[in-house]
Amino acid sequence: MNSDILVLNSGSSSIKFGLYDGDDEGLPLLGHGQIEGLGAAVRLRAVDHNGAPVVDKALGEGLDHGQAMALLVAWGREREMAREIAAVGHRVVHGGTRFKAAVRVDTAVLAELEQLNPLAPLHQPHNLAGIRTLAELEPALPQVACFDTAFHHKLPPLSQRFALPREYFDAGIRRYGFHGLSYEYIAETLPEVVGRAVAAGRIIVAHLGNGASLCALRGGQSIDTTMGFTALDGLPMGTRCGSLDPGVVLYLQDAFGMSRAEVTDLLYHRSGLLGVSGISNDMRKLLASDLPSAREAIALYTYRINREIGALTATLNGLDALVFTAGIGERAAPIRARVCELAAWLGVRFDAAANEQHAPRISTKDSAVSVWVIPTNEERMIARHTHNVLNERTAT
Ligand code: ADP
């Protein structure tokens, strides 16, 4: 009997999924895909481990998470007659102060996680909707929540604090950090790519996707990161503003008469690359555009990355390596080139040819700080955590 691990990442308009062979310690990927267009024209696409198409079909109009998940389960049952899913691992953005590692979800855990919805209003409710729907469809199936915050739970005390009175910190208003599953994957992959000595040193990882953040690693542990209490902080992102003087939020409400919902929409959906360019949140479109506003958006993006690299280098007391990852970090050579150019003050010597090829190492041999491109794999990390949680349970 196979005992596969299904990984689910439920977002606002899509459910991404991957199936891993749980009988093999290496957890090889069997296939992956997504349901996209939730709320509109919903499609199911999947490919096998070689990238060969397995399915690409319309599921219907206006389906919500629950309906789409039910169709996914039905499709899975039809196809995978001979295989058994042992557990489902979910990406959950916020674990709050309590959840410092992946956890098996029961009704009590789910209720606690729901209380964290206001801390990640755009992600957490969708993540949890996936768990709730599956619990109704398949009550006996073990479900494991894997948190974006967990990797940062040992942040040093000063990295966790806002300069607010202590009682607010005690009430959970603190810096948590996100993209932890990505940083954990990179931290584990680093020794084989950059060598043990460098991997144990002072490293900044730049996770540049639709969401974007930087993480300062020392000895493979997160010691600071640019995202804080919510996934709004730090770098400008596709549609999110990044760090903002908190006075702006007050002013928008007072002087512009904006409601809480309108401010939320502005900061989460209408800012960042989209807001500055007025064109798109898609870096490919901005790079292809000649419009001054597109150039300005890219210039601000890279300026802010350089500024945050400076801040984290100060925290680390120097820098040994810089790593780019996620959609933009892995594929947008001109963005990496500009960030490296701006980081020349750190002793970064950039290898333009290697950068064009997205080579693992994009700095020259004499560069004081080595620079790398390492593809991230959050789904694999979720599969691993889920496998571990399941085996701990089975063992006791
Ligand atoms: P998510 O955070 O949703 O997982 P990704 O890590 O897939 O997002 O990153 C999405 C971003 O990567 C988008 O801004 C997209 O434009 C950008 N991107 C993807 N491919 C390329 C490419 N070839 N060149 C430039 N940018 C790219």
Side-chain angles (χ1 to χ4, degrees), residues 46-396:
V47 294
D48 70 10
H49 63 289
N50 290 317
V54 173
V55 63
D56 182 356
K57 66 172 181 183
L59 291 184
E61 285 293 321
L63 305 180
D64 64 16
H65 279 78
Q67 294 163 319
M69 190 80 86
L71 290 175
L72 178 65
V73 168
W75 174 76
R77 277 210 197 100
E78 249 169 54
R79 274 197 59 84
E80 305 292 348
M81 302 287 274
R83 305 196 74 94
E84 182 82 2
I85 292 181
V88 181
H90 296 264
R91 181 186 193 170
V92 176
V93 70
H94 220 304
T97 49
R98 161 120 191 260
F99 298 105
K100 300 180 167 118
V103 63
R104 184 151 169 185
V105 184
D106 56 22
T107 344
V109 168
L110 190 56
E112 264 190 75
L113 292 175
E114 273 168 348
Q115 287 180 3
L116 299 171
N117 281 353
L119 301 194
L122 298 196
H123 298 96
Q124 192 90 346
H126 301 299
N127 303 156
L128 301 184
I131 299 181
R132 204 175 314 105
T133 307
L134 210 54
E136 282 160 18
L137 292 169
E138 300 277 338
L141 189 59
Q143 301 201 63
V144 175
C146 303
F147 303 101
D148 271 307
T149 47
F151 183 63
H152 303 290
H153 86 272
K154 286 191 197 144
L155 281 180
L158 294 180
S159 298
Q160 292 184 31
R161 277 304 288 270
F162 293 116
L164 291 172
R166 180 87 208 180
E167 66 257 37
Y168 293 91
F169 178 81
D170 293 339
I173 303 179
R174 53 177 83 182
R175 303 189 66 254
Y176 294 93
F178 298 90
H179 292 136
L181 293 159
S182 174
Y183 292 130
E184 187 177 12
Y185 179 82
I186 298 291
E188 288 193 2
T189 309
L190 273 170
E192 70 201 52
V193 182
V194 310
R196 276 189 186 286
V198 176
R202 301 159 299 179
I203 293 173
I204 293 176
V205 183
H207 176 106
L208 308 177
N210 271 318
S213 69
L214 303 183
C215 181
L217 297 176
R218 192 162 51 209
Q221 302 274 327
S222 168
I223 65 151
D224 207 348
T225 182
T226 57
M227 273 182 175
F229 178 58
T230 68
L232 264 188
D233 202 6
L235 302 175
M237 305 170 218
T239 63
R240 288 172 249 164
C241 58
S243 301
L244 188 76
D245 176 346
V248 172
V249 177
L250 305 176
Y251 188 79
L252 288 171
Q253 296 175 70
D254 293 345
F256 284 61
M258 287 171 76
S259 67
R260 213 196 69 87
E262 286 167 334
V263 176
T264 303
D265 182 51
L266 173 68
L267 304 185
Y268 276 96
H269 292 305
R270 296 197 287 120
S271 300
L273 294 172
L274 173 67
V276 177
S277 70
I279 303 171
S280 175
N281 61 328
D282 189 328
M283 186 55 88
R284 283 165 290 202
K285 290 199 178 130
L286 300 183
L287 287 168
S289 170
D290 289 331
L291 288 176
S293 64
R295 286 206 291 271
E296 189 190 10
I298 291 172
L300 180 58
Y301 186 71
T302 49
Y303 167 81
R304 290 278 290 273
I305 292 172
N306 183 48
R307 203 177 74 157
E308 295 292 344
I309 286 175
L312 292 184
T313 300
T315 302
L316 287 165
N317 197 18
L319 190 63
D320 300 309
L322 171 64
V323 177
F324 288 96
T325 194
I328 296 172
E330 291 166 29
R331 294 184 209 104
I335 299 297
R336 291 194 304 255
R338 182 64 185 144
V339 171
C340 288
E341 221 173 274
L342 291 169
W345 64 278
L346 276 168
V348 168
R349 298 281 170 272
F350 176 61
D351 181 337
N355 184 49
E356 284 304 319
Q357 288 158 22
H358 313 287
R361 181 170 179 153
I362 60 168
S363 57
T364 59
K365 284 232 159 57
D366 63 345
S367 185
V369 173
S370 58
V371 186
W372 307 83
V373 180
I374 304 179
T376 194
N377 196 337
E378 290 151 300
E379 287 75 21
R380 174 159 294 286
M381 216 58 238
I382 296 171
R384 190 110 51 81
H385 285 307
T386 304
H387 185 68
N388 291 346
V389 167
L390 196 71
N391 288 342
E392 279 160 26
R393 288 285 167 133
T394 321
T396 51

